[in-house]
Amino acid sequence: MSEPYEIAILVGSLRKGSFSRRLGDALVKLAPDTLTFKYVEIGELPYYNEDLENETPPAAWTTFRDAIAPVDGVLFITPEYNRSIPAVLKNAVDVGSRPYAAGVLNGKPAAIAAQTPGTMGAFGAAHHLRQMLVALGMPTMAHPELYIAKTHELVTEDGNVTNEGTEAFLKSFVDALAVWVGKHKQS
Ligand code: FNR
């Protein structure tokens, strides 16, 4: 059997008890064994500033970039802040998109999982993020679309899904991600 594809998970929430991270844990549990995952933390990245993009960029940028560089794909899990993505996730996208033409995120296959404890599924956040990923040339899975509302009712603190329909849907999403990464991964 060939090696599984490695997926970096970027979570757009820093808080303990994040529902986005719960959703990530659920997706990891349901994923096929053709995928492995690692969470890459984004909370300590200094704000992107081109003046710092020199031979010695901030150490946290380098750690982040080194973690992303070897992966085959990226799974973004985002909550919605004011109908867009949280600033911390935008900053991670910016750090991963540079230096110009050499960003570690550029060209990697991606998927977006959006969630909210509210009712509208964080649709606005998902589509702002999708727009950003176009600029990075990241082929971003179109189907199935994943917008989870009432996450706190559907996924437990341990990352278990509370109903069969949602579980089957989340499984179909990670199954599709495995196929997507196989098709679009960089050689
Ligand atoms: C929110 N929240 C929110 N929810 C939503 O569905 N649409 C929105 O536009 C917003 N806007 C928003 C702005 C700000 C500044 C905060 C702090 C929160 C609520 C949000 O969905 C909720 O806090 C989630 O729990 C965030 O995800 P995590 O932290 O649980 O992963």
Side-chain angles (χ1 to χ4, degrees):
M1 198 183 109
S2 56
E3 288 291 303
Y5 302 128
E6 187 179 33
I7 307 296
I9 301 181
L10 302 186
V11 177
S13 169
L14 303 182
R15 74 178 186 91
K16 289 192 196 79
S18 159
F19 301 133
S20 306
R21 198 168 283 252
R22 270 195 207 187
L23 178 58
D25 292 346
L27 291 167
V28 168
K29 283 188 188 196
L30 294 168
D33 58 12
T34 50
L35 295 180
T36 61
F37 295 87
K38 65 177 181 188
Y39 285 95
V40 177
E41 302 304 330
I42 63 175
E44 302 298 324
L45 296 173
Y47 284 137
Y48 192 78
N49 174 348
E50 285 189 273
D51 292 343
L52 305 180
E53 194 71 86
N54 50 38
E55 270 128 56
T56 52
W61 288 8
T62 303
T63 302
F64 173 77
R65 289 168 172 171
D66 289 350
I68 297 290
V71 303
D72 299 303
V74 181
L75 172 59
F76 293 89
I77 306 186
T78 189
E80 184 171 77
Y81 278 9
N82 299 315
R83 305 293 180 263
S84 186
I85 64 170
V88 69
L89 185 56
K90 176 63 162 72
N91 189 49
V93 170
D94 293 341
V95 171
S97 73
R98 293 280 155 151
Y100 180 73
V104 287
L105 286 172
N106 296 359
K108 287 199 192 293
I112 297 170
Q115 75 72 33
T116 176
T119 52
M120 293 199 294
F123 178 90
H127 283 269
H128 271 185
L129 179 56
R130 186 173 288 277
Q131 177 177 320
M132 288 163 207
L133 301 187
V134 172
L136 281 69
M138 298 182 81
T140 303
M141 192 167 80
H143 291 279
E145 296 171 85
L146 197 157
Y147 315 109
I148 297 290
K150 302 275 180 201
T151 314
H152 56 302
E153 294 176 6
L154 295 174
V155 185
T156 67
E157 280 177 27
D158 302 329
N160 293 315
V161 184
T162 59
N163 76 72
E164 282 177 17
T166 303
E167 184 172 272
F169 174 62
L170 294 183
K171 185 163 178 9
S172 75
F173 179 85
V174 269
D175 284 345
L177 174 62
V179 173
W180 185 258
V181 171
K183 261 189 207 157
H184 296 282
K185 85 185 206 57
Q186 296 163 314
S187 44

